[in-house]
Amino acid sequence: MKAAVFHKIGDISVDNVEDPRILHPEDIILKVTTTAICGSDLHIYDGFIPQLRDEVLGHEFMGIVEEVGPAVTKVKKGDRVVVPFTIACGNCFFCQQGYHPNCEHSNPEHYGPEGNLLDNKGGGMFGYTDLYGGYNGGQAEYVRVPYANAGPKIIPDGLTDEQVVFLTDIFPTGWSAVKWGKVKHGDTVVIFGSGPVGLMAQKAAWLNGAERVIAVDPLEYRLDKARAVNKVEAINSEDEDLMEKIRSMTAGRGADVAIDAVGMEANRTFMEKVKTVINAEKGTSKVIEMCTEAVRRNGIVSVVGVYGSPYDNFPIHRIFDKGLIMQFGQAQTHVYIDQCFEMVRSGRVVLDDIITHKLPLSMASEAYDMFKHKTDDCVKVILKPELDR
Ligand SMILES: NC(=O)c1ccc[n+]([C@@H]2O[C@H](COP(=O)([O-])OP(=O)(O)OC[C@H]3O[C@@H](n4cnc5c(N)ncnc54)[C@H](O)[C@@H]3O)[C@@H](O)[C@H]2O)c1
Ligand SMILES: [Zn+2]
Ligand SMILES: [Zn+2]
């Protein structure tokens, strides 16, 4: 089959690779109909999350069940499903509590309690390096999906792939960010990052009762997208008066909730890059720091942007002084996928309005390049193997 294979930093090509096979009784093989590129894939592409051998990338995908293992009861051949991006058994200590990203079974080689830089990680993820289980991903014609009784969700006819494919990751991720922020009626929510995840968090904030949603991003075309599809207020992150503007919109206090939908690859000045090198940090924690500034005292900072290293000079003092609450982590897709699906099915939210590029799988390499460099006003790329057939 054809698949987007990561070789080394900045080098992804669509190659012929071996077809996936059923390896465990609870596996299914999915024929991929739609897959997407995520900001999280860029962390591998850019070398912020290391991967030393070739791997098929892609954790956002959906398709048709082609083959089922003997222990699979939840889906059958021919079903159309979306698949949560974290791989989870559904039965362990963490899965039982809804923390599927910390599944104790899906990442046997590198799982552990400590959360170190290169070991003791959480559960597995599709196409997300050996540290997270070494599973091949879904930017491919076919993909093996383990624990098929726990993850895949059947999608009824009448909804297009484009309408539902973001249930695999970014909509439940935006939803998790908002739930972790305990957003309630009347809240002002400031969301750093207006990429795909930030845009989904904006939608989720409105659906959970926010009164004001403020988008922050350095890229004007992404702020324009946010204004157009989500009717939010928007401020450029490079604006010197950013914090004053946020406070002037919130009675001088700051936002009730601040969401980090950027992560460690935030824009950096030359001097910030020098500091990164001196401190041996991966990227920067500046957006979390901006969140702690923008949020009000006793407010909540909710972090779905990904971080991969320790950071020096982190403003613990401010977190203490303001009495902040913070929550971080991989999204609880397994927990929220049904609720998120219902929002789409009932028409309360539209997700496909963020798609700017629909390309054949064979153009994955060009698509990565465009998404990374933010050219052609790219916001979200979906790839379709069928456009090659
Ligand atoms: N926690 C999870 O489960 C989960 C799931 C999906 C994605 N993510 C992470 O979410 C983050 C965003 O993903 P994405 O697909 O939207 O990626 P993206 O790269 O398209 O979006 C990031 C956006 O942040 C903006 N940005 C850069 N510096 C900024 C700053 N200082 N202030 C405000 N905005 C700034 C960029 O211009 C860009 O628009 C990534 O770190 C990704 O890994 C996490
Ligand atoms: Zn993703
Ligand atoms: Zn588990």
Side-chain angles (χ1 to χ4, degrees):
M1 68 162 184
K2 292 220 179 319
V5 182
F6 171 84
H7 301 289
K8 58 182 190 302
I9 295 174
D11 180 3
I12 285 169
S13 58
V14 176
D15 301 346
N16 280 313
V17 301
E18 247 182 70
D19 289 353
R21 291 179 294 116
I22 301 268
L23 301 178
H24 183 275
E26 263 187 78
D27 289 353
I28 59 172
I29 303 297
L30 203 66
K31 179 179 184 175
V32 176
T33 52
T34 302
T35 176
I37 302 178
C38 178
S40 299
D41 293 322
L42 296 182
H43 305 321
I44 305 171
Y45 188 67
D46 295 339
F48 284 68
I49 296 186
Q51 172 62 6
L52 299 177
R53 64 172 184 98
D54 286 3
E55 188 184 23
V56 178
L57 297 191
H59 57 269
E60 300 185 2
F61 57 85
M62 63 179 295
I64 310 286
V65 178
E66 178 85 6
E67 199 184 332
V68 298
V72 175
T73 53
K74 195 178 157 193
V75 298
K76 59 181 190 315
K77 184 175 160 67
D79 282 345
R80 180 169 169 244
V81 297
V82 288
V83 180
F85 72 99
T86 52
I87 300 172
C89 76
N91 295 315
C92 71
F93 176 86
F94 291 104
C95 285
Q96 287 290 310
Q97 297 183 60
Y99 290 102
H100 298 77
N102 289 324
C103 176
E104 291 178 307
H105 295 142
S106 59
N107 184 14
E109 291 261 312
H110 290 287
Y111 188 83
E114 282 169 19
N116 289 344
L117 206 55
L118 296 175
D119 208 354
N120 269 259
K121 295 294 192 185
M125 290 188 275
F126 290 99
Y128 216 71
T129 78
D130 289 342
L131 292 179
Y132 292 96
Y135 296 91
N136 276 332
Q139 288 163 6
E141 290 185 284
Y142 296 90
V143 59
R144 177 174 79 94
V145 176
Y147 303 110
N149 292 325
K153 175 168 180 63
I154 297 174
I155 299 296
D157 292 342
L159 290 162
T160 63
D161 278 21
E162 285 74 1
Q163 284 176 291
V164 294
V165 66
F166 301 139
L167 294 172
T168 188
D169 175 349
I170 56 174
F171 186 44
T173 296
W175 192 268
S176 296
V178 163
K179 288 294 181 192
W180 295 350
K182 298 187 170 34
V183 172
K184 59 186 184 311
H185 191 75
D187 275 356
T188 295
V189 184
V190 60
I191 299 173
F192 288 83
S194 203
V197 173
L199 289 162
M200 291 292 150
Q202 294 161 20
K203 292 176 192 291
W206 288 133
L207 289 166
N208 282 277
E211 187 175 299
R212 282 183 100 157
V213 180
I214 305 168
V216 180
D217 199 289
L219 297 173
E220 280 300 326
Y221 83 88
R222 290 194 166 194
L223 295 177
D224 287 342
K225 188 79 176 172
R227 289 187 193 97
V229 301
N230 292 336
K231 308 277 179 285
V232 296
E233 298 167 86
I235 312 177
N236 196 298
S237 58
E238 306 287 288
D239 188 328
E240 280 181 13
D241 300 326
L242 172 66
M243 294 302 162
E244 284 76 61
K245 283 189 178 164
I246 293 169
R247 288 186 198 124
S248 72
M249 295 158 92
T250 52
R253 292 191 198 105
D256 300 296
V257 180
I259 291 173
D260 174 349
V262 181
M264 63 188 154
E265 294 197 61
N267 277 11
R268 282 170 294 158
T269 62
F270 176 72
M271 284 315 290
E272 285 169 333
K273 285 189 176 156
V274 171
K275 173 180 166 281
T276 301
V277 174
I278 293 169
N279 289 356
E281 291 164 354
K282 302 229 177 193
T284 171
S285 61
K286 74 187 274 187
V287 171
I288 306 181
E289 297 171 28
M290 292 166 92
C291 286
T292 65
E293 275 186 76
V295 76
R296 67 163 163 78
R297 287 179 177 277
N298 301 112
I300 304 182
V301 175
S302 172
V303 180
V304 286
V306 167
Y307 291 89
S309 88
Y311 300 92
D312 208 8
N313 264 317
F314 190 74
I316 299 283
H317 66 297
R318 184 188 296 136
I319 296 166
F320 182 86
D321 189 72
K322 291 175 75 162
L324 301 182
I325 300 166
M326 302 180 82
Q327 185 160 353
F328 296 66
Q330 301 290 353
Q332 292 173 277
T333 313
H334 288 74
V335 170
Y336 292 125
I337 194 167
D338 287 342
Q339 209 176 356
C340 287
F341 170 76
E342 191 46 36
M343 292 287 148
V344 176
R345 195 205 55 77
S346 64
R348 289 189 65 198
V349 71
V350 169
L351 307 181
D352 54 352
D353 55 4
I354 73 158
I355 299 171
T356 50
H357 296 79
K358 200 180 295 188
L359 299 171
L361 176 66
S362 60
M363 287 186 69
S365 173
E366 293 85 345
Y368 266 91
D369 186 73
M370 176 174 63
F371 181 59
K372 180 195 159 43
H373 293 106
K374 275 87 176 159
T375 51
D376 200 29
D377 285 358
C378 181
V379 175
K380 187 73 175 177
V381 188
I382 60 170
L383 301 168
K384 288 188 164 266
E386 72 192 23
L387 293 178
D388 286 311
R389 288 182 189 123

